[in-house]
Amino acid sequence: MAKVAPVSVLGLAFFVTLSSFVFLSLGQEKLGRHCSENPPTLNPNYGFGFVKDIGGLKAYVSGHSKRGILLVSDIFGYEAPHLRDIADRVALAGFYAVVPDFFYGDPYVQNSSRTIEEWSKNHGTDKGFKDAKKVTAALRKEGIHAVGAAGFCWGGKVVAQLASTNFTKATVLLHPSRVTLDDIKAVKVPISILAAELDNGTPPELLKQFEEALTENKIENRIKIFPKVQHGWTVRYNDSDSTAVKAAIEAHIDMFIWLSKYLRWHF
């Protein structure tokens, strides 16, 4: 697995300091039960940034920079407080954070009349991939040509597909869902996969296949399995669980280091 080169000490210090204050799958046709566990309480007014239109989608944005980081949510969407916390910390570390509303105001609602499978019929990752290209194209028009992408659960599939294009410089998948070996074989940019030990969607044998395919294709990669955590832990952790918070922050820092490595020379 590829080693990570040193990144900006100042940027990393910002990210680590700010983080300290904030306490996938085998190609299945269906999203698993784990994708909906511990849902967030959505808050459209949360965060230090604001919402604007980018590429025809509403997006929560934070920061001012010519280096952008696209954050693609899980099924609960762009109003999740933990996700916006990540965006704000990324922004304060020197990047322009963009969190689009890929569900057009219709995120999955736990315990509603719709099952995940029914909801997914209107919110497939293929549509998310098309929208992600629209967003990154719009960012280029704004002068932001260096874009990294990170995807969580549902969003992991989207950014894996995006990594097969020239729209991004680097990619991070965090507990991704529905990512297949074919997706990984198509990847063209440096990629890091942050997986949970307790996640049937990304078992070690599948991750090994991912690593072998990436290495064979000479794609820089880093795959890390976090012990004793479950699918969704980076954005749906319990604030009162210090162990979960620590693991989430570690993953956020890993994400930041990987993306910063490939974006730091672009201004």
Side-chain angles (χ1 to χ4, degrees):
M1 299 180 187
K3 294 182 179 179
V4 179
V7 297
S8 164
V9 173
L10 181 59
L12 180 58
F14 259 112
F15 196 88
V16 173
T17 301
L18 290 162
S19 294
S20 68
F21 285 101
V22 184
F23 293 107
L24 295 149
S25 83
L26 290 168
Q28 301 166 355
E29 291 302 318
K30 298 180 179 179
L31 292 170
R33 173 182 54 81
H34 54 272
C35 289
S36 62
E37 293 177 344
N38 195 27
T41 299
L42 303 183
N43 183 349
N45 300 313
Y46 192 89
F48 295 109
F50 59 94
V51 174
K52 62 178 287 189
D53 183 280
I54 301 180
L57 282 76
K58 289 183 178 180
Y60 175 81
V61 299
S62 190
H64 300 279
S65 175
K66 293 299 182 182
R67 300 173 298 170
I69 291 182
L70 176 69
L71 301 174
V72 185
S73 74
D74 62 10
I75 62 175
F76 295 106
Y78 83 135
E79 294 178 352
H82 286 162
L83 183 59
R84 291 192 175 187
D85 278 334
I86 296 170
D88 288 340
R89 296 198 298 276
V90 163
L92 288 171
F95 296 86
Y96 184 53
V98 180
V99 190
D101 176 15
F102 287 101
F103 308 135
Y104 295 87
D106 184 36
Y108 180 70
V109 178
Q110 182 77 306
N111 298 322
S112 68
S113 59
R114 285 186 300 177
T115 64
I116 292 181
E117 290 74 24
E118 291 170 335
W119 176 87
S120 296
K121 291 178 181 178
N122 295 320
H123 302 294
T125 51
D126 286 344
K127 177 63 164 61
F129 173 40
K130 293 178 182 178
D131 284 341
K133 290 189 287 185
K134 292 179 183 179
V135 171
T136 51
L139 290 175
R140 287 180 176 180
K141 291 182 179 179
E142 293 184 14
I144 302 170
H145 293 277
V147 178
F152 307 80
C153 186
W154 181 94
K157 175 75 169 185
V158 173
V159 299
Q161 293 174 291
L162 196 61
S164 68
T165 71
N166 64 350
F167 281 88
T168 58
K169 300 293 184 183
T171 291
V172 179
L173 313 184
L174 301 96
H175 42 84
S177 285
R178 302 179 66 184
V179 174
T180 67
L181 183 57
D182 285 340
D183 291 328
I184 296 301
K185 287 180 177 179
V187 167
K188 296 179 179 178
V189 300
I191 183 170
S192 174
I193 302 174
L194 306 180
E197 178 185 16
L198 308 178
D199 188 347
N200 292 332
T202 50
E205 57 270 22
L206 180 63
L207 294 172
K208 183 64 175 177
Q209 292 178 34
F210 287 177
E211 181 189 13
E212 290 172 349
L214 292 165
T215 301
E216 181 178 350
N217 291 337
K218 296 181 171 55
I219 301 297
E220 290 188 68
N221 67 91
R222 182 174 188 258
I223 297 176
K224 180 176 179 179
I225 301 175
F226 284 71
K228 301 179 181 179
V229 295
Q230 297 180 339
H231 179 88
W233 94 96
T234 67
V235 284
R236 299 203 300 274
Y237 55 87
N238 187 330
D239 290 305
S240 64
D241 184 339
S242 60
T243 300
V245 171
K246 181 180 178 181
I249 289 175
E250 181 182 346
H252 301 163
I253 293 171
D254 285 349
M255 176 199 76
F256 171 77
I257 290 174
W258 185 260
L259 295 177
S260 179
K261 173 184 177 182
Y262 299 99
L263 298 177
R264 68 185 186 278
W265 301 119
H266 297 271
F267 296 97

